[in-house]
């Protein structure tokens, strides 16, 4: 064995081919763009639900999906959590 060979436990990794680096960076950009689009759709859905619930009677029944369980609540109970979730998604989307 040569003294020049890099040990698996340390040292610098071998230099990557620029084409491989470019593909990896482009793949990462694509994943980030998909996540941003997903957050935008999520935010728009929250806005739509919030706008739908605001004019309703606070004692009216509303259904909310928590995890994989559909829960029955009142509009007064659901609206604050939808608003808070919308604000959190908006903060994440904007940053």
């Amino acid at each position: 064995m040569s003294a020049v060979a890099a040990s698996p436990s340390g040292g610098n990794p071998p230099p990557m081919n620029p084409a491989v680096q470019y593909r990896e960076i482009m793949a990462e950009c694509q994943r980030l763009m998909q996540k941003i689009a997903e957050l935008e759709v999520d935010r728009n859905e929250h806005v739509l639900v919030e706008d739908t619930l605001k004019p309703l009677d606070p004692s009216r029944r509303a259904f909310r999906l928590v995890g994989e369980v559909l829960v029955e609540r009142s509009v007064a109970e659901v609206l604050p959590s939808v608003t808070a979730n919308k604000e959190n998604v908006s903060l994440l989307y904007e940053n």
Side-chain angles (χ1 to χ4, degrees):
M1 280 200 56
S2 156
V4 180
S7 69
S9 63
N12 294 334
M16 291 183 67
N17 181 351
V20 173
Q21 284 180 317
Y22 176 76
R23 280 194 298 272
E24 287 179 0
I25 290 171
M26 290 305 291
E28 180 67 19
C29 285
Q30 191 68 22
R31 284 190 295 273
L32 290 173
M33 289 171 51
Q34 287 173 344
K35 187 63 178 176
I36 289 169
E38 180 183 318
L39 286 171
E40 186 175 11
V41 167
D42 201 24
R43 181 183 64 174
N44 290 340
E45 286 177 356
H46 279 81
V47 168
L48 182 64
V49 170
E50 184 181 38
D51 291 344
T52 302
L53 291 178
K54 276 183 181 177
L56 298 178
D57 178 33
S59 63
R60 183 174 173 164
R61 286 189 318 184
F63 294 91
R64 181 166 184 243
L65 195 60
V66 179
E68 295 182 9
V69 178
L70 192 61
V71 196
E72 182 181 344
R73 301 276 187 244
S74 69
V75 170
E77 294 171 324
V78 171
L79 188 57
S81 61
V82 169
T83 302
N85 287 346
K86 179 198 71 167
E87 290 170 1
N88 289 338
V89 170
S90 292
L91 283 174
L92 229 123
Y93 175 76
E94 292 167 2
N95 292 331

